[in-house]
Coordinates of all heavy atoms in Angstrom, one line a residue:
M270 N -96.5 68.0 -108.6 CA -96.6 66.6 -108.9 C -95.9 66.5 -110.3 O -96.2 67.1 -111.2 CB -98.1 66.1 -109.0 CG -98.2 64.7 -109.5 SD -99.8 64.0 -109.9 CE -101.0 65.1 -108.9
R271 N -94.9 65.5 -110.3 CA -94.2 65.4 -111.5 C -94.9 64.3 -112.4 O -95.4 63.2 -111.9 CB -92.9 64.9 -111.3 CG -91.9 64.7 -112.5 CD -90.6 64.3 -112.0 NE -89.7 64.1 -113.2 CZ -89.5 63.0 -113.8 NH1 -90.2 61.9 -113.4 NH2 -88.8 62.9 -114.9
H272 N -95.2 64.5 -113.7 CA -95.8 63.6 -114.5 C -94.6 62.9 -115.5 O -93.6 63.6 -115.8 CB -96.8 64.2 -115.4 CG -98.0 64.7 -114.7 ND1 -99.0 63.9 -114.2 CD2 -98.3 65.9 -114.2 CE1 -99.9 64.6 -113.5 NE2 -99.4 65.9 -113.6
S273 N -94.9 61.7 -115.9 CA -94.0 61.0 -116.8 C -94.0 61.7 -118.1 O -94.9 62.4 -118.5 CB -94.3 59.6 -116.9 OG -95.4 59.4 -117.8
E274 N -92.9 61.6 -118.9 CA -92.9 62.2 -120.2 C -93.8 61.5 -121.2 O -94.3 62.0 -122.1 CB -91.5 61.9 -120.8 CG -90.3 62.8 -120.0 CD -89.9 62.1 -118.7 OE1 -89.8 60.9 -118.6 OE2 -89.9 62.8 -117.7
R275 N -94.3 60.2 -120.8 CA -95.1 59.5 -121.6 C -96.3 58.9 -120.8 O -96.3 57.7 -120.5 CB -94.4 58.4 -122.3 CG -93.3 58.7 -123.3 CD -92.6 57.7 -124.0 NE -93.5 56.5 -124.2 CZ -93.1 55.2 -124.4 NH1 -91.8 55.0 -124.4 NH2 -93.9 54.3 -124.7
P276 N -97.2 59.7 -120.4 CA -98.2 59.2 -119.5 C -99.1 58.1 -120.1 O -99.6 57.3 -119.4 CB -99.2 60.4 -119.2 CG -98.9 61.4 -120.3 CD -97.4 61.1 -120.7
Q277 N -99.1 58.1 -121.4 CA -100.0 57.1 -122.1 C -99.4 55.6 -122.0 O -100.0 54.6 -122.2 CB -100.3 57.3 -123.5 CG -99.0 57.3 -124.4 CD -98.3 58.5 -124.6 OE1 -98.3 59.5 -123.7 NE2 -97.6 58.8 -125.6
A278 N -98.0 55.6 -121.5 CA -97.5 54.2 -121.3 C -98.2 53.5 -120.2 O -98.4 52.3 -120.2 CB -96.0 54.4 -121.0
A279 N -98.6 54.2 -119.1 CA -99.3 53.6 -118.0 C -100.6 53.0 -118.4 O -101.1 52.0 -118.1 CB -99.5 54.5 -116.8
L280 N -101.4 53.8 -119.5 CA -102.7 53.4 -120.0 C -102.4 52.1 -120.8 O -103.2 51.2 -120.6 CB -103.2 54.5 -120.9 CG -104.5 54.1 -121.6 CD1 -105.5 53.8 -120.7 CD2 -104.8 55.3 -122.5
G281 N -101.4 52.0 -121.5 CA -101.0 50.9 -122.3 C -100.9 49.7 -121.5 O -101.3 48.6 -121.8
K282 N -100.2 49.9 -120.3 CA -99.8 48.8 -119.4 C -101.2 48.2 -118.8 O -101.4 47.0 -118.6 CB -98.9 49.2 -118.2 CG -97.6 49.3 -118.6 CD -96.6 49.7 -117.4 CE -95.2 49.8 -117.8 NZ -94.4 50.2 -116.7
A283 N -102.0 49.1 -118.5 CA -103.4 48.9 -117.9 C -104.2 48.0 -118.9 O -104.8 46.9 -118.4 CB -104.1 50.0 -117.4
I284 N -104.3 48.4 -120.1 CA -105.0 47.7 -121.2 C -104.4 46.3 -121.3 O -105.1 45.4 -121.4 CB -104.9 48.5 -122.6 CG1 -105.8 49.8 -122.3 CG2 -105.5 47.7 -123.6 CD1 -105.8 50.8 -123.4
R285 N -103.1 46.2 -121.4 CA -102.5 44.9 -121.6 C -102.8 44.0 -120.5 O -103.1 42.8 -120.6 CB -101.0 45.1 -121.8 CG -100.3 43.6 -121.9 CD -99.1 43.6 -122.4 NE -98.7 42.2 -122.5 CZ -97.5 41.8 -123.0 NH1 -96.6 42.7 -123.4 NH2 -97.3 40.5 -123.1
A286 N -102.7 44.5 -119.2 CA -103.0 43.7 -118.0 C -104.4 43.2 -118.0 O -104.6 42.0 -117.7 CB -102.7 44.5 -116.7
L287 N -105.3 44.0 -118.3 CA -106.7 43.6 -118.4 C -106.9 42.6 -119.6 O -107.7 41.7 -119.4 CB -107.6 44.8 -118.7 CG -107.7 45.7 -117.4 CD1 -108.3 47.0 -117.8 CD2 -108.5 45.2 -116.3
R288 N -106.2 42.8 -120.7 CA -106.4 41.8 -121.8 C -105.8 40.5 -121.4 O -106.3 39.4 -121.7 CB -105.7 42.4 -123.0 CG -105.6 41.4 -124.2 CD -104.9 42.0 -125.5 NE -103.5 42.4 -125.3 CZ -102.6 41.4 -125.2 NH1 -102.8 40.1 -125.3 NH2 -101.3 41.9 -125.1
D289 N -104.6 40.5 -120.7 CA -104.0 39.3 -120.2 C -104.8 38.5 -119.2 O -104.9 37.3 -119.3 CB -102.6 39.5 -119.7 CG -101.6 39.9 -120.7 OD1 -101.7 39.6 -121.9 OD2 -100.5 40.4 -120.3
E290 N -105.5 39.3 -118.3 CA -106.3 38.7 -117.4 C -107.5 37.9 -118.0 O -107.9 36.8 -117.4 CB -107.0 39.6 -116.5 CG -106.1 40.4 -115.3 CD -106.9 41.3 -114.5 OE1 -108.1 41.5 -114.7 OE2 -106.1 42.0 -113.8
R291 N -107.9 38.4 -119.1 CA -109.0 37.8 -119.8 C -108.5 36.8 -120.9 O -109.3 36.2 -121.6 CB -109.9 38.9 -120.5 CG -110.8 39.6 -119.4 CD -111.0 41.0 -119.8 NE -111.7 41.6 -118.7 CZ -111.2 42.1 -117.6 NH1 -109.9 41.9 -117.3 NH2 -111.9 42.7 -116.7
E292 N -107.2 36.5 -120.9 CA -106.6 35.6 -121.8 C -107.0 35.9 -123.3 O -107.2 35.0 -124.0 CB -106.9 34.2 -121.4 CG -106.4 33.9 -120.0 CD -106.7 32.4 -119.6 OE1 -107.5 31.7 -120.2 OE2 -106.1 32.0 -118.5
L293 N -107.0 37.1 -123.6 CA -107.3 37.5 -125.0 C -106.0 37.9 -125.7 O -105.1 38.4 -125.1 CB -108.1 38.8 -125.1 CG -109.6 38.7 -124.5 CD1 -110.2 40.0 -124.5 CD2 -110.4 37.6 -125.4
T294 N -105.9 37.5 -127.0 CA -104.7 37.9 -127.8 C -104.8 39.5 -128.3 O -106.0 39.9 -128.2 CB -104.5 37.0 -129.0 OG1 -105.6 37.2 -129.8 CG2 -104.3 35.5 -128.6
Q295 N -103.8 40.0 -128.6 CA -104.1 41.4 -129.3 C -104.8 41.3 -130.5 O -105.7 42.1 -130.6 CB -102.7 41.9 -129.6 CG -101.9 42.5 -128.5 CD -100.6 43.3 -129.0 OE1 -100.1 43.0 -130.1 NE2 -100.2 44.2 -128.2
E296 N -104.7 40.2 -131.2 CA -105.6 40.1 -132.5 C -107.0 40.0 -132.1 O -107.9 40.6 -132.7 CB -105.1 38.9 -133.2 CG -103.7 39.1 -133.9 CD -102.6 38.7 -132.8 OE1 -102.8 38.1 -131.8 OE2 -101.4 39.2 -133.1
T297 N -107.3 39.2 -131.1 CA -108.7 39.0 -130.7 C -109.3 40.4 -130.2 O -110.4 40.7 -130.5 CB -108.9 38.0 -129.6 OG1 -108.4 36.7 -130.1 CG2 -110.4 37.9 -129.2
L298 N -108.6 41.0 -129.3 CA -109.1 42.4 -128.8 C -109.2 43.4 -129.9 O -110.1 44.1 -130.0 CB -108.2 42.9 -127.8 CG -108.6 44.2 -127.1 CD1 -110.1 44.1 -126.5 CD2 -107.7 44.6 -126.0
A299 N -108.3 43.3 -130.9 CA -108.3 44.3 -132.0 C -109.5 44.0 -132.8 O -110.2 44.9 -133.2 CB -107.0 44.1 -132.8
E300 N -109.9 42.8 -133.1 CA -111.1 42.4 -133.9 C -112.3 42.9 -133.1 O -113.3 43.4 -133.7 CB -111.2 41.0 -134.0 CG -110.1 40.4 -135.0 CD -110.2 38.9 -135.1 OE1 -111.1 38.3 -134.7 OE2 -109.2 38.4 -135.7
K301 N -112.4 42.7 -131.8 CA -113.6 43.1 -131.0 C -113.7 44.7 -131.0 O -114.8 45.1 -130.8 CB -113.4 42.7 -129.5 CG -113.5 41.2 -129.3 CD -113.4 40.9 -127.8 CE -113.8 39.5 -127.6 NZ -114.7 39.4 -126.4
T302 N -112.7 45.4 -131.2 CA -112.7 46.9 -131.1 C -112.7 47.5 -132.5 O -113.0 48.7 -132.6 CB -111.6 47.5 -130.4 OG1 -110.3 47.0 -130.9 CG2 -111.6 47.0 -129.0
G303 N -112.4 46.8 -133.5 CA -112.3 47.4 -134.9 C -110.9 48.0 -135.2 O -110.8 48.7 -136.1
L304 N -110.0 47.9 -134.2 CA -108.7 48.5 -134.3 C -107.8 47.5 -135.2 O -107.9 46.3 -135.1 CB -108.1 48.7 -133.0 CG -108.7 49.7 -132.1 CD1 -108.1 49.7 -130.7 CD2 -108.7 51.1 -132.6
S305 N -106.7 47.9 -135.8 CA -105.7 47.0 -136.3 C -104.9 46.5 -135.2 O -104.8 47.2 -134.2 CB -104.9 47.7 -137.3 OG -104.0 48.8 -136.7
G306 N -104.3 45.4 -135.4 CA -103.4 44.8 -134.5 C -102.2 45.8 -134.2 O -101.7 46.0 -133.0
R307 N -101.7 46.5 -135.2 CA -100.7 47.4 -135.0 C -101.0 48.6 -134.2 O -100.2 49.0 -133.4 CB -100.3 47.9 -136.4 CG -99.1 48.8 -136.5 CD -98.7 49.2 -137.9 NE -97.3 49.7 -137.9 CZ -96.5 49.4 -138.8 NH1 -96.9 48.6 -139.8 NH2 -95.2 49.8 -138.7
T308 N -102.3 49.1 -134.3 CA -102.6 50.1 -133.5 C -102.8 49.7 -132.0 O -102.3 50.5 -131.2 CB -104.0 50.7 -134.0 OG1 -103.9 51.3 -135.4 CG2 -104.6 51.9 -133.1
L309 N -103.5 48.6 -131.8 CA -103.5 48.1 -130.5 C -102.2 47.9 -129.8 O -101.9 48.3 -128.6 CB -104.4 46.9 -130.4 CG -104.6 46.2 -129.0 CD1 -105.3 47.3 -128.1 CD2 -105.4 45.1 -129.1
S310 N -101.3 47.4 -130.7 CA -99.9 47.2 -130.1 C -99.3 48.5 -129.7 O -98.7 48.6 -128.7 CB -99.0 46.4 -131.2 OG -97.7 46.3 -130.7
G311 N -99.4 49.5 -130.5 CA -98.9 50.7 -130.2 C -99.5 51.4 -129.0 O -98.8 52.1 -128.2
I312 N -100.8 51.2 -128.8 CA -101.4 51.7 -127.5 C -100.8 51.0 -126.4 O -100.4 51.6 -125.3 CB -102.9 51.5 -127.6 CG1 -103.6 52.4 -128.6 CG2 -103.5 51.7 -126.3 CD1 -105.0 52.1 -129.1
E313 N -100.7 49.7 -126.4 CA -100.2 48.9 -125.3 C -98.7 49.2 -124.9 O -98.3 49.2 -123.8 CB -100.4 47.4 -125.5 CG -101.7 46.9 -125.4 CD -101.9 45.4 -125.5 OE1 -100.9 44.7 -125.7 OE2 -103.1 45.0 -125.3
T314 N -97.9 49.5 -126.0 CA -96.6 49.9 -125.6 C -96.4 51.3 -125.3 O -95.3 51.7 -125.0 CB -95.7 49.6 -126.9 OG1 -96.1 50.3 -128.0 CG2 -95.7 48.0 -127.1
G315 N -97.4 52.1 -125.5 CA -97.3 53.6 -125.1 C -96.8 54.5 -126.3 O -96.5 55.6 -126.2
A316 N -96.6 53.8 -127.4 CA -96.3 54.5 -128.6 C -97.4 55.4 -129.3 O -97.2 56.3 -130.0 CB -95.7 53.6 -129.7
A317 N -98.6 54.9 -129.1 CA -99.7 55.6 -129.6 C -100.6 56.1 -128.5 O -100.8 55.5 -127.5 CB -100.6 54.7 -130.5
N318 N -101.2 57.3 -128.8 CA -102.0 58.0 -127.7 C -103.5 57.9 -128.2 O -103.9 58.6 -129.0 CB -101.5 59.4 -127.5 CG -102.1 60.1 -126.3 OD1 -102.6 59.3 -125.4 ND2 -101.8 61.3 -126.2
P319 N -104.3 56.9 -127.6 CA -105.6 56.8 -128.1 C -106.6 57.8 -127.7 O -106.4 58.6 -126.7 CB -106.1 55.4 -127.5 CG -105.3 55.4 -126.2 CD -104.0 56.0 -126.5
T320 N -107.7 58.0 -128.4 CA -108.7 59.1 -128.2 C -109.5 58.3 -127.0 O -109.4 57.1 -126.8 CB -109.6 59.2 -129.4 OG1 -110.2 58.1 -129.7 CG2 -108.8 59.8 -130.6
W321 N -110.4 59.1 -126.4 CA -111.3 58.7 -125.4 C -112.2 57.6 -126.0 O -112.6 56.6 -125.4 CB -112.1 59.8 -124.8 CG -111.4 60.4 -123.7 CD1 -110.8 61.7 -123.7 CD2 -111.1 59.9 -122.4 NE1 -110.1 61.9 -122.5 CE2 -110.3 60.8 -121.7 CE3 -111.3 58.7 -121.8 CZ2 -109.8 60.6 -120.4 CZ3 -110.8 58.5 -120.5 CH2 -110.2 59.4 -119.9
A322 N -112.6 57.9 -127.3 CA -113.6 57.0 -127.9 C -112.9 55.5 -128.1 O -113.6 54.5 -127.9 CB -114.0 57.5 -129.2
T323 N -111.7 55.6 -128.4 CA -110.9 54.3 -128.6 C -110.8 53.6 -127.2 O -111.0 52.4 -127.1 CB -109.5 54.6 -129.2 OG1 -109.7 55.1 -130.5 CG2 -108.6 53.3 -129.3
V324 N -110.4 54.3 -126.2 CA -110.4 53.8 -124.9 C -111.7 53.3 -124.4 O -111.8 52.1 -123.9 CB -109.9 54.8 -123.8 CG1 -109.8 54.2 -122.4 CG2 -108.4 55.3 -124.2
R325 N -112.8 53.9 -124.8 CA -114.1 53.4 -124.5 C -114.4 52.1 -125.1 O -114.9 51.1 -124.6 CB -115.1 54.4 -124.8 CG -116.6 54.0 -124.6 CD -117.6 54.9 -125.3 NE -117.4 54.6 -126.7 CZ -117.5 55.6 -127.6 NH1 -117.8 56.8 -127.3 NH2 -117.2 55.3 -128.9
D326 N -114.1 52.0 -126.5 CA -114.3 50.8 -127.1 C -113.4 49.6 -126.6 O -113.9 48.5 -126.5 CB -113.9 51.0 -128.6 CG -114.9 52.0 -129.3 OD1 -116.0 52.3 -128.8 OD2 -114.6 52.5 -130.4
I327 N -112.2 49.9 -126.3 CA -111.3 48.9 -125.7 C -111.9 48.4 -124.3 O -112.0 47.2 -124.1 CB -109.9 49.4 -125.5 CG1 -109.2 49.6 -126.9 CG2 -109.1 48.4 -124.7 CD1 -107.9 50.3 -126.9
A328 N -112.3 49.3 -123.6 CA -112.9 49.1 -122.2 C -114.2 48.2 -122.3 O -114.3 47.2 -121.7 CB -113.3 50.3 -121.4
A329 N -115.0 48.6 -123.3 CA -116.2 47.8 -123.6 C -115.8 46.4 -124.1 O -116.5 45.4 -123.5 CB -117.1 48.4 -124.6
A330 N -114.9 46.2 -124.8 CA -114.5 44.9 -125.4 C -113.8 44.0 -124.3 O -114.0 42.9 -124.3 CB -113.5 45.0 -126.5
L331 N -113.3 44.8 -123.2 CA -112.7 43.9 -122.1 C -113.8 43.7 -121.0 O -113.4 43.1 -120.0 CB -111.6 44.8 -121.6 CG -110.3 44.9 -122.4 CD1 -109.4 45.9 -121.8 CD2 -109.6 43.5 -122.5
G332 N -115.0 44.4 -121.1 CA -116.0 44.3 -120.1 C -115.8 45.0 -118.9 O -116.2 44.7 -117.8
V333 N -115.1 46.2 -119.0 CA -114.9 47.1 -117.9 C -115.3 48.5 -118.2 O -115.5 48.8 -119.4 CB -113.4 47.0 -117.4 CG1 -113.0 45.6 -116.9 CG2 -112.5 47.6 -118.5
S334 N -115.3 49.3 -117.2 CA -115.6 50.7 -117.6 C -114.3 51.5 -117.8 O -113.3 51.0 -117.5 CB -116.4 51.4 -116.4 OG -115.4 51.4 -115.3
I335 N -114.6 52.6 -118.5 CA -113.4 53.5 -118.8 C -112.7 53.8 -117.3 O -111.5 54.0 -117.2 CB -113.8 54.8 -119.5 CG1 -114.2 54.5 -120.9 CG2 -112.7 55.9 -119.5 CD1 -114.6 55.7 -121.6
S336 N -113.5 54.0 -116.3 CA -112.9 54.5 -115.0 C -112.1 53.4 -114.5 O -111.1 53.7 -113.8 CB -114.1 54.9 -114.0 OG -114.9 53.8 -113.7
E337 N -112.5 52.2 -114.7 CA -111.7 51.1 -114.2 C -110.3 51.0 -115.0 O -109.3 50.7 -114.3 CB -112.3 49.7 -114.3 CG -113.5 49.4 -113.5 CD -114.2 48.1 -113.8 OE1 -113.8 47.2 -113.3 OE2 -115.3 48.3 -114.6
V338 N -110.3 51.3 -116.3 CA -109.1 51.3 -117.0 C -108.2 52.5 -116.5 O -107.1 52.3 -116.2 CB -109.4 51.5 -118.5 CG1 -108.1 51.7 -119.3 CG2 -110.1 50.3 -119.0
A339 N -108.9 53.6 -116.2 CA -108.1 54.8 -115.8 C -107.6 54.6 -114.3 O -106.4 55.0 -114.1 CB -109.0 56.1 -115.6
K340 N -108.3 53.9 -113.5 CA -107.8 53.7 -112.1 C -106.5 52.7 -112.2 O -105.6 53.0 -111.5 CB -108.9 53.0 -111.2 CG -109.9 54.0 -110.8 CD -111.0 53.3 -110.0 CE -112.1 54.3 -109.7 NZ -113.1 53.6 -108.9
L341 N -106.6 51.7 -113.1 CA -105.5 50.8 -113.2 C -104.3 51.5 -113.7 O -103.1 51.4 -113.4 CB -105.9 49.6 -113.9 CG -104.8 48.5 -114.1 CD1 -104.3 48.0 -112.8 CD2 -105.4 47.3 -114.9
A342 N -104.5 52.4 -114.7 CA -103.5 53.1 -115.4 C -102.8 54.1 -114.4 O -101.6 54.2 -114.3 CB -104.0 53.9 -116.7
E343 N -103.7 54.7 -113.5 CA -103.2 55.6 -112.4 C -102.2 54.8 -111.5 O -101.2 55.3 -111.1 CB -104.3 56.3 -111.7 CG -104.0 57.3 -110.8 CD -105.2 58.1 -110.1 OE1 -106.1 57.4 -109.9 OE2 -105.0 59.3 -109.9
S344 N -102.6 53.6 -111.2 CA -101.8 52.9 -110.3 C -100.5 52.6 -110.9 O -99.4 52.6 -110.2 CB -102.5 51.6 -109.8 OG -102.5 50.6 -110.8
Y345 N -100.4 52.2 -112.2 CA -99.2 52.0 -112.8 C -98.3 53.3 -112.9 O -97.1 53.2 -112.7 CB -99.4 51.5 -114.4 CG -99.7 50.0 -114.3 CD1 -100.9 49.5 -114.9 CD2 -98.8 49.1 -113.8 CE1 -101.3 48.3 -115.0 CE2 -99.2 47.7 -113.8 CZ -100.4 47.3 -114.5 OH -100.7 45.9 -114.5
E346 N -99.0 54.4 -113.1 CA -98.3 55.7 -113.1 C -97.7 56.0 -111.8 O -96.5 56.4 -111.7 CB -99.2 56.8 -113.6 CG -98.6 58.2 -113.7 CD -97.7 58.3 -114.9 OE1 -97.8 57.5 -115.8 OE2 -96.9 59.1 -114.9
E347 N -98.5 55.8 -110.7 CA -97.9 56.0 -109.3 C -96.8 55.1 -109.1 O -95.7 55.5 -108.5 CB -99.1 55.8 -108.3 CG -98.6 56.0 -106.9 CD -98.2 57.5 -106.7 OE1 -98.6 58.4 -107.4 OE2 -97.3 57.6 -105.8
R348 N -96.8 53.9 -109.5 CA -95.6 52.9 -109.3 C -94.4 53.4 -110.0 O -93.4 53.3 -109.5 CB -96.0 51.6 -109.8 CG -96.9 50.8 -108.9 CD -97.3 49.4 -109.4 NE -98.6 49.0 -109.1 CZ -99.2 48.0 -109.6 NH1 -98.7 47.3 -110.7 NH2 -100.4 47.6 -109.2
G349 N -94.6 53.9 -111.2 CA -93.5 54.5 -112.0 C -93.0 55.7 -111.3 O -91.7 55.8 -111.2
R350 N -93.8 56.5 -110.7 CA -93.2 57.7 -110.0 C -92.4 57.3 -108.8 O -91.4 57.8 -108.5 CB -94.4 58.6 -109.6 CG -94.9 59.6 -110.7 CD -95.7 60.7 -110.2 NE -97.0 60.1 -109.6 CZ -98.1 60.1 -110.3 NH1 -98.2 60.4 -111.6 NH2 -99.2 59.7 -109.7
R351 N -93.0 56.4 -108.0 CA -92.2 55.9 -106.9 C -90.9 55.3 -107.1 O -89.9 55.5 -106.5 CB -93.1 54.8 -106.1 CG -94.2 55.5 -105.3 CD -94.8 54.6 -104.2 NE -95.4 53.3 -104.9 CZ -96.6 53.1 -105.0 NH1 -97.6 53.9 -104.6 NH2 -97.0 52.0 -105.6
S352 N -90.9 54.5 -108.3 CA -89.6 53.8 -108.7 C -88.6 54.8 -109.2 O -87.4 54.5 -109.2 CB -89.9 52.8 -109.7 OG -90.2 53.3 -110.9
R353 N -89.0 56.0 -109.6 CA -88.1 57.0 -110.2 C -87.5 57.8 -109.0 O -86.6 58.6 -109.2 CB -88.7 57.9 -111.2 CG -88.9 57.3 -112.4 CD -89.5 58.2 -113.5 NE -90.8 58.7 -113.2 CZ -92.0 58.3 -113.7 NH1 -91.9 57.2 -114.4 NH2 -93.0 58.9 -113.4
K354 N -88.1 57.7 -107.9 CA -87.6 58.5 -106.7 C -86.3 58.1 -106.1 O -85.8 57.0 -106.2 CB -88.6 58.6 -105.5 CG -89.9 59.5 -106.0 CD -90.8 59.5 -104.8 CE -91.9 60.3 -105.3 NZ -92.9 60.5 -104.1

């Protein structure tokens, strides 16, 4: 199985999609998690690789479980693999 060079990019897409579904701005979600807007932006763009604790905090602020975030990220990763074939 081939993995992307930046697997955290799919995680960032998942977090952004969940944030957008809830109509939250990055600033609002950052405030709810105690992260800076810059850090959250880096996570969403795949430039930053968050710890599990950070993912847990983001998931809680979004009202979902870590596993829901992971499943959505996995679906984005799979789509990316299919499009590269």
